[in-house]
């Protein structure tokens, strides 16, 4: 993937260090550090200029399984967005909800809607392929197993390269929901992934 | 129907999702069934439309869409009547739509474990996870007639098929799970 596209996401690493944006009664995001689905929603909120109260939980202390979270999402998963009376889980659903509820600025380029929808639904493939490589490494799987996972990741990234083509962004000439959904999966664990991408793409 | 073609394969619940939506919206289409066993989903014709070599693929005029859930949403946008998204239920429908792969995966895990003749405790574990997953959907249904409130919706179409996959053994499975 293009390095230039990864750089803006450095901002996301700074977000937890900033003071939470001024409390906006009625819009609350519950999220956990290191979760790319959470980053997807944060990117969309930022791109749309929407203020929200940031509630960070700690996975290590099962902060995602508290009664407060379970009441909003029985699956005990984050991100969870509470927007007035609306509660949405599933990051991709939340991206789409935000697009419907706050159409400006739009993250769906004109005429590109089916393509954006499709890329959105394809994005878990990226997350899974990247995750599979790291899981194999962490489990110290045999080299041929690791090679096989890297090969699948290379194949997956190949689809996205072909989607990019000569475009600047994944769904044509404008940053879109599909960009937000994938930006984060690609950026997860930035440094080792860059290394991984270099290994994959030589 | 010149211009609207659905490429699909038998036994694929994602394909059924799109077929249900097309039928619910009263949209005519040319049906092109491929055979998975002879790699009909990996032909140049399919790969040209979907480089992943997966079905369903819908060609609607100049628009080509893969990913069944994306296709459901595309159809809702392009052909808003009759609507499959109840008024005021849009975030909920979107969320259920994105949750539906959990159902498909939980059901699939049980059947894979059975087909691989996994040890009983492994099978029990998968059935337990399926029971937990179905429990979420039971709570979503509550006293409603349909998953996203009082009207059949995209979320219904997406899950109807996952639940119906391999109907007979699944009914048995569901009975085992829900006693």
């Amino acid at each position: 993937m293009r390095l230039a596209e990864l750089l803006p996401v450095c901002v996301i690493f700074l977000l937890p260090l900033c003071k939470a944006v001024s409390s906006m009664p009625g819009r609350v995001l519950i999220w956990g550090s290191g979760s790319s689905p959470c980053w997807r929603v944060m990117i969309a909120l930022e791109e749309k200029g929407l203020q929200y109260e940031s509630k960070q939980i700690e996975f290590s202390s099962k902060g995602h399984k508290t009664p407060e979270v379970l009441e909003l999402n029985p699956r005990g998963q984050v991100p969870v967005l509470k927007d007035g009376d609306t509660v949405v889980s599933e990051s991709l659903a939340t991206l789409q909800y935000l697009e419907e509820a706050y159409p400006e600025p739009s993250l769906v380029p004109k005429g590109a809607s089916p393509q954006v929808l499709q890329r959105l639904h394809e994005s878990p493939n990226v997350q899974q392929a990247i995750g599979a490589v790291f899981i194999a490494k962490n489990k110290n799987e045999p080299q041929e197993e690791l090679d096989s996972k890297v090969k699948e990741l290379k194949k997956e990234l190949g689809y996205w390269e072909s989607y990019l083509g000569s475009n600047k962004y994944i769904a044509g000439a404008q940053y879109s929901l599909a960009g937000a959904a994938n930006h984060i999966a690609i950026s997860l664990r930035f440094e080792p992934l860059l290394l991984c991408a270099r290994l994959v793409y030589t």
Side-chain angles (χ1 to χ4, degrees), chain A:
Chain A
M1 300 306 282
R2 316 274 171 88
L3 186 56
E5 282 206 340
L6 295 176
L7 291 177
V9 142
C10 287
V11 157
I12 296 303
F13 287 90
L14 297 176
L15 276 176
L17 304 176
C18 299
K19 294 289 184 198
V21 293
S22 60
S23 272
M24 192 66 203
R27 193 177 298 121
V28 179
L29 179 70
I30 306 176
W31 62 283
S33 181
S35 156
S36 56
C38 291
W39 295 343
R40 282 171 178 155
V41 176
M42 291 166 106
I43 278 195
L45 288 166
E46 297 289 331
E47 288 283 332
K48 289 191 175 285
L50 297 168
Q51 300 210 334
Y52 60 98
E53 183 188 341
S54 163
K55 280 194 171 173
Q56 184 178 0
I57 57 91
E58 295 297 327
F59 290 115
S60 54
S61 53
K62 300 274 186 219
H64 50 317
K65 305 294 185 187
T66 60
E68 183 197 6
V69 176
L70 290 171
E71 189 190 340
L72 297 174
N73 182 5
R75 290 181 187 273
Q77 292 173 339
V78 290
V80 181
L81 178 74
K82 192 175 184 313
D83 190 14
D85 291 332
T86 299
V87 177
V88 195
S89 304
E90 302 299 326
S91 62
L92 300 180
T94 311
L95 291 188
Q96 294 191 257
Y97 160 70
L98 289 172
E99 184 65 18
E100 282 187 20
Y102 307 97
E104 297 300 328
S106 172
L107 294 180
V108 180
K110 286 277 172 287
S113 181
Q115 193 181 47
V116 171
L117 283 173
Q118 185 178 323
R119 301 294 177 244
L120 211 68
H121 284 275
E122 282 185 77
S123 52
N125 289 307
V126 186
Q127 192 179 5
Q128 188 189 355
I130 291 172
V133 172
F134 284 107
I135 287 168
K137 281 187 77 73
N138 286 344
K139 279 183 172 174
N140 286 317
E141 300 258 348
Q143 187 61 36
E144 56 184 22
E145 185 65 25
L146 185 59
D147 287 345
S148 160
K149 297 301 177 194
V150 169
K151 189 176 168 193
E152 284 173 30
L153 172 57
K154 188 173 180 175
K155 186 175 174 189
E156 180 61 32
L157 291 175
Y159 291 131
W160 295 93
E161 275 291 347
S162 74
Y163 298 156
L164 265 175
S166 57
N167 289 327
K168 189 173 179 193
Y169 297 107
I170 285 172
Q174 176 186 333
Y175 192 72
S176 69
L177 289 182
N182 285 288
H183 211 148
I184 295 310
I186 308 273
S187 309
L188 186 64
R189 297 187 184 86
F190 189 75
E191 275 184 310
L193 186 63
L194 257 190
L195 182 62
C196 175
R198 286 201 191 103
L199 287 171
V200 160
Y201 263 148
T202 45

